[in-house]
Amino acid sequence: MNKTSVLLKASFLQLRLYLWIILGILAVSVTTDLIISLAMGPGENASVSAGNLLNVFLIFVGSVLPASFFKRLLHLGATRREYYVGVLLVYAVSAAFFAVLNIVWFQLEIHVIRNYEHTFNILEIFHWDQFGIIGMFVYQFGAYLLLVSLLNLLFSGLRHAAGWTIWAVFIAAIPVFTSIAPLRSKLVDGILTLLSNNSLVQGFGLTFGVASVLLAGGWWFTTRRSFM
C-alpha cells in the first residue's frame, strides 16, 4: 500500500466517528420528516434536503484534520509536505464526492421525494441547477473546496500569532458586517458573486482562486507548526 492510500485510510479513520454522528442525526431527521409528511399529507411539509445536510461533514473534514491529524502523522514519520499533499487530496476527494452525492440526491428529490414533501436544496437556492449536471458539479466542487480551505487556514494557524489575528478578524467581522447596513449589503453582494454567480466560469474561477490562496496560507502555517 503506497503512502497516498495510507493517508486516505488514516484520514477516514480519523473522521469516521463524526460521519457516524452525522448519519445518526440525519436518520432521525429524515424519519421525523417522513412521519410529519404522512400526517400532514403530500406537499404540506417542507424540509431541508437530506443530501445537503450531509455536507456538514465537510466542516469536520476542514477542521479535524488540520487540528489533530497533523501531529499524529508527523509522529508516525510523515513529512510536512506529505501531510499537506495528503490533506489536499482528502479535501479534493471530499468536495468531489459531496458534489456528486448532491446531484444524485437532487434527482431523487425532483422525481420522488417532492411528491410527498417540499424540500429546500442549495442547488436551487444558489441557482447552480441552471448550469446542468456538469456545471452543478463544477460549481459545487469550487464552493466546497472554498469551505474546507477556509477552515484549514483557521485551524492550521491555531498555534501561531498570525493565526490568532486571522481568527480575531474573522470573528469580529461577522457582527460588524451583519449589523451595519452598507457593509451588510457589500457582504451579501460578495457572497452572491462567489456562490450565486450567473457565470459558471466566473463563479468557479472565484471560488477556486480564493480557495487556492487560502490553501497556500494553510501551507505557510503548516511549515511553521510544531508537532510537539
Side-chain angles (χ1 to χ4, degrees):
M1 185 179 294
N2 58 39
K3 286 188 175 182
T4 301
S5 300
V6 171
L7 286 170
L8 286 174
K9 183 178 180 180
S11 63
F12 172 75
L13 293 175
Q14 183 80 17
L15 296 165
R16 182 173 55 183
L17 174 62
Y18 303 98
L19 178 60
W20 282 114
I21 291 173
I22 293 172
L23 288 174
I25 295 173
L26 181 62
V28 173
S29 175
V30 170
T31 302
T32 302
D33 286 336
L34 178 60
I35 294 173
I36 294 174
S37 297
L38 292 175
M40 296 179 64
E44 296 298 323
N45 185 40
S47 63
V48 177
S49 167
N52 294 169
L53 290 175
L54 281 173
N55 289 348
V56 173
F57 185 65
L58 289 170
I59 296 176
F60 295 102
V61 173
S63 57
V64 172
L65 294 183
S68 60
F69 194 52
F70 171 78
K71 286 186 178 181
R72 179 170 298 183
L73 272 189
L74 263 64
H75 280 302
L76 291 175
T79 66
R80 284 175 168 79
R81 182 176 297 276
E82 288 170 342
Y83 153 77
Y84 209 67
V85 170
V87 294
L88 289 182
L89 180 59
V90 173
Y91 294 160
V93 170
S94 299
F97 174 80
F98 282 99
V100 172
L101 176 64
N102 275 285
I103 292 172
V104 173
W105 191 267
F106 183 52
Q107 303 306 312
L108 180 64
E109 283 185 352
I110 293 175
H111 297 103
V112 180
I113 296 175
R114 289 185 179 175
N115 292 328
Y116 304 95
E117 67 174 344
H118 179 68
T119 59
F120 299 100
N121 195 299
I122 59 173
L123 295 177
E124 293 173 311
I125 293 173
F126 292 127
H127 307 294
W128 296 338
D129 57 323
Q130 68 177 305
F131 301 117
I133 299 295
I134 301 299
M136 283 191 288
F137 172 84
V138 170
Y139 214 136
Q140 281 186 96
F141 181 82
Y144 298 158
L145 195 62
L146 176 60
L147 171 62
V148 295
S149 65
L150 173 60
L151 293 169
N152 175 76
L153 176 70
L154 291 171
F155 284 89
S156 294
L158 280 176
R159 295 183 177 273
H160 196 284
W164 303 338
T165 302
I166 293 174
W167 269 102
V169 171
F170 182 75
I171 294 173
I174 295 174
V176 170
F177 274 84
T178 54
S179 60
I180 302 176
L183 293 180
R184 184 168 61 247
S185 176
K186 291 183 180 297
L187 176 64
V188 171
D189 289 341
I191 292 175
L192 291 177
T193 300
L194 276 174
L195 301 180
S196 189
N197 202 303
N198 289 325
S199 168
L200 174 61
V201 174
Q202 187 178 46
F204 174 73
L206 287 171
T207 53
F208 188 79
V210 174
S212 298
V213 173
L214 295 175
L215 290 171
W219 169 243
W220 186 85
F221 283 124
T222 299
T223 61
R224 289 156 177 78
R225 289 181 67 176
S226 170
F227 61 92
M228 300 302 293

mmCIF file of all heavy atoms in Angstrom, residues 1-50:
data_model
loop_
_atom_site.group_PDB
_atom_site.id
_atom_site.type_symbol
_atom_site.label_atom_id
_atom_site.label_comp_id
_atom_site.label_asym_id
_atom_site.label_seq_id
_atom_site.Cartn_x
_atom_site.Cartn_y
_atom_site.Cartn_z
ATOM 1 N N MET A 1 0.845 -1.198 0.000
ATOM 2 C CA MET A 1 0.000 0.000 0.000
ATOM 3 C C MET A 1 0.884 1.253 0.000
ATOM 4 O O MET A 1 1.734 1.416 0.873
ATOM 5 C CB MET A 1 -0.910 -0.008 1.226
ATOM 6 C CG MET A 1 -1.920 1.134 1.248
ATOM 7 S SD MET A 1 -2.997 1.062 2.713
ATOM 8 C CE MET A 1 -3.899 -0.457 2.384
ATOM 9 N N ASN A 2 0.706 2.193 -0.975
ATOM 10 C CA ASN A 2 1.546 3.379 -1.038
ATOM 11 C C ASN A 2 1.116 4.413 0.001
ATOM 12 O O ASN A 2 0.095 4.275 0.670
ATOM 13 C CB ASN A 2 1.516 3.983 -2.446
ATOM 14 C CG ASN A 2 0.096 4.342 -2.883
ATOM 15 O OD1 ASN A 2 -0.707 4.825 -2.095
ATOM 16 N ND2 ASN A 2 -0.195 4.121 -4.151
ATOM 17 N N LYS A 3 1.930 5.469 0.108
ATOM 18 C CA LYS A 3 1.675 6.471 1.144
ATOM 19 C C LYS A 3 0.350 7.190 0.950
ATOM 20 O O LYS A 3 -0.323 7.543 1.916
ATOM 21 C CB LYS A 3 2.829 7.475 1.175
ATOM 22 C CG LYS A 3 4.097 6.936 1.799
ATOM 23 C CD LYS A 3 5.123 8.039 1.972
ATOM 24 C CE LYS A 3 6.358 7.519 2.705
ATOM 25 N NZ LYS A 3 7.358 8.586 2.922
ATOM 26 N N THR A 4 -0.036 7.426 -0.294
ATOM 27 C CA THR A 4 -1.299 8.118 -0.557
ATOM 28 C C THR A 4 -2.479 7.311 -0.030
ATOM 29 O O THR A 4 -3.385 7.855 0.619
ATOM 30 C CB THR A 4 -1.472 8.351 -2.075
ATOM 31 O OG1 THR A 4 -0.384 9.133 -2.559
ATOM 32 C CG2 THR A 4 -2.782 9.069 -2.356
ATOM 33 N N SER A 5 -2.470 6.006 -0.299
ATOM 34 C CA SER A 5 -3.548 5.142 0.190
ATOM 35 C C SER A 5 -3.582 5.101 1.716
ATOM 36 O O SER A 5 -4.652 5.112 2.331
ATOM 37 C CB SER A 5 -3.376 3.724 -0.362
ATOM 38 O OG SER A 5 -3.412 3.712 -1.764
ATOM 39 N N VAL A 6 -2.389 5.078 2.311
ATOM 40 C CA VAL A 6 -2.295 5.062 3.776
ATOM 41 C C VAL A 6 -2.870 6.352 4.353
ATOM 42 O O VAL A 6 -3.617 6.325 5.345
ATOM 43 C CB VAL A 6 -0.833 4.876 4.227
ATOM 44 C CG1 VAL A 6 -0.709 5.074 5.733
ATOM 45 C CG2 VAL A 6 -0.329 3.499 3.831
ATOM 46 N N LEU A 7 -2.536 7.488 3.738
ATOM 47 C CA LEU A 7 -3.035 8.778 4.210
ATOM 48 C C LEU A 7 -4.549 8.868 4.098
ATOM 49 O O LEU A 7 -5.231 9.361 5.002
ATOM 50 C CB LEU A 7 -2.378 9.917 3.431
ATOM 51 C CG LEU A 7 -0.919 10.223 3.775
ATOM 52 C CD1 LEU A 7 -0.328 11.197 2.766
ATOM 53 C CD2 LEU A 7 -0.819 10.783 5.181
ATOM 54 N N LEU A 8 -5.087 8.394 2.972
ATOM 55 C CA LEU A 8 -6.535 8.428 2.783
ATOM 56 C C LEU A 8 -7.243 7.546 3.809
ATOM 57 O O LEU A 8 -8.261 7.940 4.401
ATOM 58 C CB LEU A 8 -6.890 7.971 1.363
ATOM 59 C CG LEU A 8 -6.586 8.959 0.239
ATOM 60 C CD1 LEU A 8 -6.845 8.313 -1.119
ATOM 61 C CD2 LEU A 8 -7.427 10.220 0.386
ATOM 62 N N LYS A 9 -6.702 6.364 4.039
ATOM 63 C CA LYS A 9 -7.293 5.463 5.015
ATOM 64 C C LYS A 9 -7.207 6.034 6.422
ATOM 65 O O LYS A 9 -8.182 5.989 7.184
ATOM 66 C CB LYS A 9 -6.597 4.100 4.959
ATOM 67 C CG LYS A 9 -7.203 3.075 5.906
ATOM 68 C CD LYS A 9 -6.515 1.725 5.788
ATOM 69 C CE LYS A 9 -7.144 0.713 6.759
ATOM 70 N NZ LYS A 9 -6.477 -0.631 6.646
ATOM 71 N N ALA A 10 -6.055 6.606 6.756
ATOM 72 C CA ALA A 10 -5.868 7.177 8.089
ATOM 73 C C ALA A 10 -6.800 8.369 8.316
ATOM 74 O O ALA A 10 -7.355 8.539 9.404
ATOM 75 C CB ALA A 10 -4.409 7.610 8.271
ATOM 76 N N SER A 11 -6.979 9.193 7.287
ATOM 77 C CA SER A 11 -7.871 10.348 7.434
ATOM 78 C C SER A 11 -9.320 9.900 7.606
ATOM 79 O O SER A 11 -10.073 10.502 8.385
ATOM 80 C CB SER A 11 -7.743 11.268 6.210
ATOM 81 O OG SER A 11 -8.160 10.606 5.025
ATOM 82 N N PHE A 12 -9.705 8.847 6.892
ATOM 83 C CA PHE A 12 -11.069 8.331 7.048
ATOM 84 C C PHE A 12 -11.295 7.801 8.463
ATOM 85 O O PHE A 12 -12.335 8.052 9.077
ATOM 86 C CB PHE A 12 -11.344 7.223 6.041
ATOM 87 C CG PHE A 12 -12.666 6.524 6.267
ATOM 88 C CD1 PHE A 12 -13.864 7.142 5.928
ATOM 89 C CD2 PHE A 12 -12.717 5.264 6.840
ATOM 90 C CE1 PHE A 12 -15.079 6.519 6.154
ATOM 91 C CE2 PHE A 12 -13.919 4.629 7.067
ATOM 92 C CZ PHE A 12 -15.109 5.257 6.721
ATOM 93 N N LEU A 13 -10.306 7.086 8.982
ATOM 94 C CA LEU A 13 -10.420 6.570 10.342
ATOM 95 C C LEU A 13 -10.511 7.707 11.351
ATOM 96 O O LEU A 13 -11.237 7.614 12.353
ATOM 97 C CB LEU A 13 -9.221 5.672 10.672
ATOM 98 C CG LEU A 13 -9.133 4.353 9.891
ATOM 99 C CD1 LEU A 13 -7.834 3.623 10.213
ATOM 100 C CD2 LEU A 13 -10.339 3.463 10.210
ATOM 101 N N GLN A 14 -9.795 8.797 11.079
ATOM 102 C CA GLN A 14 -9.830 9.961 11.961
ATOM 103 C C GLN A 14 -11.211 10.610 11.962
ATOM 104 O O GLN A 14 -11.665 11.132 12.988
ATOM 105 C CB GLN A 14 -8.792 10.980 11.493
ATOM 106 C CG GLN A 14 -8.668 12.222 12.353
ATOM 107 C CD GLN A 14 -7.846 11.995 13.604
ATOM 108 O OE1 GLN A 14 -7.117 11.017 13.697
ATOM 109 N NE2 GLN A 14 -7.961 12.888 14.560
ATOM 110 N N LEU A 15 -11.888 10.559 10.813
ATOM 111 C CA LEU A 15 -13.173 11.248 10.649
ATOM 112 C C LEU A 15 -14.383 10.329 10.800
ATOM 113 O O LEU A 15 -15.517 10.793 10.775
ATOM 114 C CB LEU A 15 -13.222 11.917 9.265
ATOM 115 C CG LEU A 15 -12.201 13.028 9.021
ATOM 116 C CD1 LEU A 15 -12.111 13.328 7.531
ATOM 117 C CD2 LEU A 15 -12.592 14.281 9.789
ATOM 118 N N ARG A 16 -14.140 9.033 10.947
ATOM 119 C CA ARG A 16 -15.231 8.061 10.922
ATOM 120 C C ARG A 16 -16.285 8.332 11.992
ATOM 121 O O ARG A 16 -17.491 8.243 11.728
ATOM 122 C CB ARG A 16 -14.660 6.660 11.084
ATOM 123 C CG ARG A 16 -15.706 5.541 11.034
ATOM 124 C CD ARG A 16 -15.025 4.184 11.024
ATOM 125 N NE ARG A 16 -14.114 4.029 12.160
ATOM 126 C CZ ARG A 16 -13.350 2.960 12.347
ATOM 127 N NH1 ARG A 16 -13.360 1.970 11.468
ATOM 128 N NH2 ARG A 16 -12.549 2.893 13.396
ATOM 129 N N LEU A 17 -15.860 8.666 13.211
ATOM 130 C CA LEU A 17 -16.810 8.921 14.298
ATOM 131 C C LEU A 17 -17.754 10.061 13.943
ATOM 132 O O LEU A 17 -18.968 9.972 14.178
ATOM 133 C CB LEU A 17 -16.038 9.243 15.584
ATOM 134 C CG LEU A 17 -16.902 9.667 16.786
ATOM 135 C CD1 LEU A 17 -17.848 8.546 17.180
ATOM 136 C CD2 LEU A 17 -16.005 10.068 17.960
ATOM 137 N N TYR A 18 -17.220 11.135 13.368
ATOM 138 C CA TYR A 18 -18.035 12.296 13.016
ATOM 139 C C TYR A 18 -19.040 11.939 11.926
ATOM 140 O O TYR A 18 -20.178 12.427 11.926
ATOM 141 C CB TYR A 18 -17.135 13.450 12.559
ATOM 142 C CG TYR A 18 -16.114 13.845 13.591
ATOM 143 C CD1 TYR A 18 -14.804 13.365 13.521
ATOM 144 C CD2 TYR A 18 -16.456 14.673 14.651
ATOM 145 C CE1 TYR A 18 -13.863 13.716 14.476
ATOM 146 C CE2 TYR A 18 -15.520 15.026 15.614
ATOM 147 C CZ TYR A 18 -14.226 14.541 15.524
ATOM 148 O OH TYR A 18 -13.296 14.879 16.471
ATOM 149 N N LEU A 19 -18.618 11.078 10.997
ATOM 150 C CA LEU A 19 -19.530 10.647 9.941
ATOM 151 C C LEU A 19 -20.699 9.859 10.517
ATOM 152 O O LEU A 19 -21.855 10.080 10.134
ATOM 153 C CB LEU A 19 -18.774 9.797 8.918
ATOM 154 C CG LEU A 19 -19.613 9.229 7.766
ATOM 155 C CD1 LEU A 19 -20.256 10.347 6.966
ATOM 156 C CD2 LEU A 19 -18.748 8.359 6.858
ATOM 157 N N TRP A 20 -20.415 8.959 11.448
ATOM 158 C CA TRP A 20 -21.489 8.177 12.057
ATOM 159 C C TRP A 20 -22.442 9.065 12.846
ATOM 160 O O TRP A 20 -23.665 8.828 12.861
ATOM 161 C CB TRP A 20 -20.901 7.092 12.958
ATOM 162 C CG TRP A 20 -20.385 5.902 12.221
ATOM 163 C CD1 TRP A 20 -19.089 5.481 12.133
ATOM 164 C CD2 TRP A 20 -21.151 4.975 11.425
ATOM 165 N NE1 TRP A 20 -18.983 4.355 11.347
ATOM 166 C CE2 TRP A 20 -20.247 4.019 10.893
ATOM 167 C CE3 TRP A 20 -22.503 4.861 11.107
ATOM 168 C CZ2 TRP A 20 -20.648 2.973 10.081
ATOM 169 C CZ3 TRP A 20 -22.911 3.817 10.291
ATOM 170 C CH2 TRP A 20 -21.995 2.886 9.789
ATOM 171 N N ILE A 21 -21.914 10.072 13.516
ATOM 172 C CA ILE A 21 -22.765 11.001 14.269
ATOM 173 C C ILE A 21 -23.706 11.737 13.323
ATOM 174 O O ILE A 21 -24.907 11.849 13.572
ATOM 175 C CB ILE A 21 -21.907 12.003 15.064
ATOM 176 C CG1 ILE A 21 -21.161 11.281 16.200
ATOM 177 C CG2 ILE A 21 -22.776 13.123 15.632
ATOM 178 C CD1 ILE A 21 -20.173 12.165 16.929
ATOM 179 N N ILE A 22 -23.155 12.242 12.208
ATOM 180 C CA ILE A 22 -23.977 12.971 11.235
ATOM 181 C C ILE A 22 -25.028 12.059 10.622
ATOM 182 O O ILE A 22 -26.192 12.443 10.448
ATOM 183 C CB ILE A 22 -23.080 13.583 10.142
ATOM 184 C CG1 ILE A 22 -22.209 14.684 10.747
ATOM 185 C CG2 ILE A 22 -23.927 14.152 9.003
ATOM 186 C CD1 ILE A 22 -21.167 15.222 9.800
ATOM 187 N N LEU A 23 -24.631 10.828 10.288
ATOM 188 C CA LEU A 23 -25.588 9.880 9.710
ATOM 189 C C LEU A 23 -26.703 9.554 10.706
ATOM 190 O O LEU A 23 -27.870 9.411 10.319
ATOM 191 C CB LEU A 23 -24.866 8.600 9.291
ATOM 192 C CG LEU A 23 -23.958 8.712 8.057
ATOM 193 C CD1 LEU A 23 -23.201 7.406 7.837
ATOM 194 C CD2 LEU A 23 -24.784 9.067 6.817
ATOM 195 N N GLY A 24 -26.358 9.448 11.992
ATOM 196 C CA GLY A 24 -27.368 9.181 13.018
ATOM 197 C C GLY A 24 -28.349 10.325 13.134
ATOM 198 O O GLY A 24 -29.582 10.112 13.191
ATOM 199 N N ILE A 25 -27.834 11.550 13.173
ATOM 200 C CA ILE A 25 -28.706 12.728 13.254
ATOM 201 C C ILE A 25 -29.572 12.832 12.009
ATOM 202 O O ILE A 25 -30.773 13.142 12.079
ATOM 203 C CB ILE A 25 -27.862 14.003 13.430
ATOM 204 C CG1 ILE A 25 -27.135 13.971 14.781
ATOM 205 C CG2 ILE A 25 -28.737 15.252 13.316
ATOM 206 C CD1 ILE A 25 -26.153 15.110 14.969
ATOM 207 N N LEU A 26 -28.972 12.544 10.853
ATOM 208 C CA LEU A 26 -29.719 12.606 9.594
ATOM 209 C C LEU A 26 -30.836 11.571 9.569
ATOM 210 O O LEU A 26 -31.953 11.859 9.108
ATOM 211 C CB LEU A 26 -28.773 12.385 8.419
ATOM 212 C CG LEU A 26 -29.399 12.435 7.021
ATOM 213 C CD1 LEU A 26 -29.996 13.803 6.763
ATOM 214 C CD2 LEU A 26 -28.356 12.101 5.962
ATOM 215 N N ALA A 27 -30.566 10.369 10.053
ATOM 216 C CA ALA A 27 -31.584 9.310 10.085
ATOM 217 C C ALA A 27 -32.780 9.735 10.937
ATOM 218 O O ALA A 27 -33.938 9.535 10.552
ATOM 219 C CB ALA A 27 -30.981 8.017 10.622
ATOM 220 N N VAL A 28 -32.493 10.345 12.084
ATOM 221 C CA VAL A 28 -33.573 10.830 12.951
ATOM 222 C C VAL A 28 -34.358 11.933 12.255
ATOM 223 O O VAL A 28 -35.601 11.950 12.294
ATOM 224 C CB VAL A 28 -32.994 11.348 14.282
ATOM 225 C CG1 VAL A 28 -34.092 12.013 15.117
ATOM 226 C CG2 VAL A 28 -32.366 10.209 15.078
ATOM 227 N N SER A 29 -33.640 12.852 11.589
ATOM 228 C CA SER A 29 -34.293 13.967 10.902
ATOM 229 C C SER A 29 -35.191 13.484 9.767
ATOM 230 O O SER A 29 -36.338 13.940 9.620
ATOM 231 C CB SER A 29 -33.232 14.924 10.352
ATOM 232 O OG SER A 29 -33.813 15.956 9.593
ATOM 233 N N VAL A 30 -34.667 12.545 8.951
ATOM 234 C CA VAL A 30 -35.444 12.021 7.825
ATOM 235 C C VAL A 30 -36.682 11.268 8.319
ATOM 236 O O VAL A 30 -37.783 11.413 7.761
ATOM 237 C CB VAL A 30 -34.572 11.110 6.947
ATOM 238 C CG1 VAL A 30 -35.424 10.375 5.917
ATOM 239 C CG2 VAL A 30 -33.484 11.920 6.251
ATOM 240 N N THR A 31 -36.522 10.475 9.364
ATOM 241 C CA THR A 31 -37.650 9.722 9.923
ATOM 242 C C THR A 31 -38.721 10.666 10.450
ATOM 243 O O THR A 31 -39.917 10.461 10.223
ATOM 244 C CB THR A 31 -37.167 8.795 11.059
ATOM 245 O OG1 THR A 31 -36.175 7.902 10.547
ATOM 246 C CG2 THR A 31 -38.330 8.000 11.630
ATOM 247 N N THR A 32 -38.288 11.717 11.138
ATOM 248 C CA THR A 32 -39.232 12.704 11.670
ATOM 249 C C THR A 32 -39.991 13.408 10.552
ATOM 250 O O THR A 32 -41.214 13.574 10.613
ATOM 251 C CB THR A 32 -38.488 13.742 12.523
ATOM 252 O OG1 THR A 32 -37.790 13.082 13.586
ATOM 253 C CG2 THR A 32 -39.467 14.750 13.118
ATOM 254 N N ASP A 33 -39.247 13.820 9.507
ATOM 255 C CA ASP A 33 -39.890 14.491 8.366
ATOM 256 C C ASP A 33 -40.879 13.566 7.668
ATOM 257 O O ASP A 33 -41.945 14.002 7.216
ATOM 258 C CB ASP A 33 -38.827 14.960 7.370
ATOM 259 C CG ASP A 33 -38.057 16.169 7.867
ATOM 260 O OD1 ASP A 33 -38.600 16.906 8.699
ATOM 261 O OD2 ASP A 33 -36.908 16.361 7.421
ATOM 262 N N LEU A 34 -40.533 12.288 7.566
ATOM 263 C CA LEU A 34 -41.416 11.327 6.916
ATOM 264 C C LEU A 34 -42.720 11.175 7.698
ATOM 265 O O LEU A 34 -43.809 11.173 7.110
ATOM 266 C CB LEU A 34 -40.719 9.975 6.801
ATOM 267 C CG LEU A 34 -41.540 8.837 6.174
ATOM 268 C CD1 LEU A 34 -41.953 9.207 4.749
ATOM 269 C CD2 LEU A 34 -40.740 7.537 6.183
ATOM 270 N N ILE A 35 -42.611 11.082 8.998
ATOM 271 C CA ILE A 35 -43.802 10.943 9.844
ATOM 272 C C ILE A 35 -44.688 12.182 9.734
ATOM 273 O O ILE A 35 -45.915 12.080 9.598
ATOM 274 C CB ILE A 35 -43.398 10.705 11.311
ATOM 275 C CG1 ILE A 35 -42.703 9.350 11.453
ATOM 276 C CG2 ILE A 35 -44.623 10.766 12.227
ATOM 277 C CD1 ILE A 35 -42.116 9.100 12.820
ATOM 278 N N ILE A 36 -44.049 13.370 9.752
ATOM 279 C CA ILE A 36 -44.807 14.620 9.637
ATOM 280 C C ILE A 36 -45.492 14.724 8.278
ATOM 281 O O ILE A 36 -46.653 15.127 8.167
ATOM 282 C CB ILE A 36 -43.885 15.830 9.861
ATOM 283 C CG1 ILE A 36 -43.375 15.850 11.309
ATOM 284 C CG2 ILE A 36 -44.609 17.135 9.536
ATOM 285 C CD1 ILE A 36 -42.353 16.922 11.583
ATOM 286 N N SER A 37 -44.769 14.323 7.218
ATOM 287 C CA SER A 37 -45.335 14.380 5.863
ATOM 288 C C SER A 37 -46.538 13.460 5.720
ATOM 289 O O SER A 37 -47.549 13.817 5.102
ATOM 290 C CB SER A 37 -44.260 14.012 4.837
ATOM 291 O OG SER A 37 -43.204 14.937 4.846
ATOM 292 N N LEU A 38 -46.442 12.256 6.283
ATOM 293 C CA LEU A 38 -47.555 11.311 6.218
ATOM 294 C C LEU A 38 -48.754 11.815 7.008
ATOM 295 O O LEU A 38 -49.902 11.598 6.613
ATOM 296 C CB LEU A 38 -47.106 9.944 6.748
ATOM 297 C CG LEU A 38 -46.069 9.198 5.891
ATOM 298 C CD1 LEU A 38 -45.613 7.923 6.595
ATOM 299 C CD2 LEU A 38 -46.646 8.875 4.517
ATOM 300 N N ALA A 39 -48.471 12.517 8.109
ATOM 301 C CA ALA A 39 -49.556 13.028 8.947
ATOM 302 C C ALA A 39 -50.239 14.244 8.325
ATOM 303 O O ALA A 39 -51.458 14.392 8.396
ATOM 304 C CB ALA A 39 -49.015 13.379 10.331
ATOM 305 N N MET A 40 -49.448 15.115 7.672
ATOM 306 C CA MET A 40 -49.987 16.353 7.123
ATOM 307 C C MET A 40 -50.535 16.185 5.717
ATOM 308 O O MET A 40 -51.373 16.965 5.270
ATOM 309 C CB MET A 40 -48.898 17.425 7.117
ATOM 310 C CG MET A 40 -48.413 17.827 8.496
ATOM 311 S SD MET A 40 -47.106 19.080 8.417
ATOM 312 C CE MET A 40 -47.987 20.463 7.691
ATOM 313 N N GLY A 41 -50.044 15.165 5.006
ATOM 314 C CA GLY A 41 -50.482 14.964 3.633
ATOM 315 C C GLY A 41 -49.425 15.413 2.646
ATOM 316 O O GLY A 41 -48.533 16.203 2.988
ATOM 317 N N PRO A 42 -49.484 14.926 1.405
ATOM 318 C CA PRO A 42 -48.474 15.239 0.386
ATOM 319 C C PRO A 42 -48.338 16.742 0.135
ATOM 320 O O PRO A 42 -49.331 17.446 -0.021
ATOM 321 C CB PRO A 42 -49.009 14.524 -0.863
ATOM 322 C CG PRO A 42 -49.878 13.437 -0.322
ATOM 323 C CD PRO A 42 -50.517 14.007 0.913
ATOM 324 N N GLY A 43 -47.096 17.215 0.127
ATOM 325 C CA GLY A 43 -46.819 18.600 -0.208
ATOM 326 C C GLY A 43 -47.017 19.605 0.900
ATOM 327 O O GLY A 43 -46.761 20.795 0.708
ATOM 328 N N GLU A 44 -47.464 19.173 2.058
ATOM 329 C CA GLU A 44 -47.758 20.105 3.150
ATOM 330 C C GLU A 44 -46.549 20.360 4.041
ATOM 331 O O GLU A 44 -46.502 21.368 4.747
ATOM 332 C CB GLU A 44 -48.911 19.563 4.009
ATOM 333 C CG GLU A 44 -50.238 19.443 3.263
ATOM 334 C CD GLU A 44 -50.740 20.795 2.774
ATOM 335 O OE1 GLU A 44 -50.553 21.796 3.497
ATOM 336 O OE2 GLU A 44 -51.286 20.858 1.658
ATOM 337 N N ASN A 45 -45.604 19.471 4.035
ATOM 338 C CA ASN A 45 -44.426 19.622 4.884
ATOM 339 C C ASN A 45 -43.236 20.094 4.055
ATOM 340 O O ASN A 45 -43.114 19.760 2.883
ATOM 341 C CB ASN A 45 -44.082 18.283 5.566
ATOM 342 C CG ASN A 45 -42.930 18.421 6.542
ATOM 343 O OD1 ASN A 45 -42.840 19.410 7.262
ATOM 344 N ND2 ASN A 45 -42.053 17.434 6.575
ATOM 345 N N ALA A 46 -42.374 20.897 4.670
ATOM 346 C CA ALA A 46 -41.177 21.388 3.989
ATOM 347 C C ALA A 46 -39.963 21.119 4.864
ATOM 348 O O ALA A 46 -40.030 21.240 6.088
ATOM 349 C CB ALA A 46 -41.300 22.879 3.706
ATOM 350 N N SER A 47 -38.855 20.744 4.230
ATOM 351 C CA SER A 47 -37.649 20.442 4.994
ATOM 352 C C SER A 47 -36.429 20.717 4.139
ATOM 353 O O SER A 47 -36.501 20.837 2.914
ATOM 354 C CB SER A 47 -37.648 18.979 5.443
ATOM 355 O OG SER A 47 -37.635 18.113 4.318
ATOM 356 N N VAL A 48 -35.280 20.797 4.810
ATOM 357 C CA VAL A 48 -34.004 20.959 4.112
ATOM 358 C C VAL A 48 -33.617 19.624 3.500
ATOM 359 O O VAL A 48 -33.827 18.566 4.093
ATOM 360 C CB VAL A 48 -32.912 21.441 5.086
ATOM 361 C CG1 VAL A 48 -31.564 21.543 4.374
ATOM 362 C CG2 VAL A 48 -33.295 22.777 5.702
ATOM 363 N N SER A 49 -33.053 19.653 2.315
ATOM 364 C CA SER A 49 -32.635 18.435 1.623
ATOM 365 C C SER A 49 -31.705 17.596 2.502
ATOM 366 O O SER A 49 -30.734 18.106 3.072
ATOM 367 C CB SER A 49 -31.911 18.804 0.332
ATOM 368 O OG SER A 49 -31.241 17.690 -0.209
ATOM 369 N N ALA A 50 -32.018 16.312 2.613
ATOM 370 C CA ALA A 50 -31.184 15.402 3.401
ATOM 371 C C ALA A 50 -29.783 15.309 2.814
ATOM 372 O O ALA A 50 -28.792 15.202 3.541
ATOM 373 C CB ALA A 50 -31.826 14.016 3.449
#
